[in-house]
Amino acid sequence: MSTAPDPEPREPKPALVFDDPLDQQTSDDTDRGWGERPSGDSAADLKRFLDEKPPHHI
């Protein structure tokens, strides 16, 4: 009769946290938004505006 080897100890599961998630700061609160660019270079802003302008606005 064979015996099964002892199971290896498992890592404990993370505890459930029931705090209010709206009280915590997220990465969305700290990251730069989509399309935001550092200001100060008006020539680069004009070039970007002209490059991204739809054809019907020419």
Side-chain angles (χ1 to χ4, degrees):
M1 192 158 127
S2 65
T3 59
D6 290 336
E8 295 182 21
R10 293 188 233 164
E11 294 182 24
K13 293 182 180 178
L16 294 176
V17 178
F18 293 100
D19 294 340
D20 185 4
L22 298 178
D23 286 341
Q24 302 170 4
Q25 189 176 32
T26 65
S27 61
D28 289 343
D29 296 334
T30 58
D31 292 346
R32 290 177 43 199
W34 289 3
E36 288 183 11
R37 299 171 198 266
S39 61
D41 190 4
S42 59
D45 290 341
L46 178 61
K47 181 179 181 333
R48 178 175 168 243
F49 172 75
L50 294 174
D51 288 345
E52 295 181 2
K53 186 168 41 168
H56 63 276
H57 283 250
I58 295 179

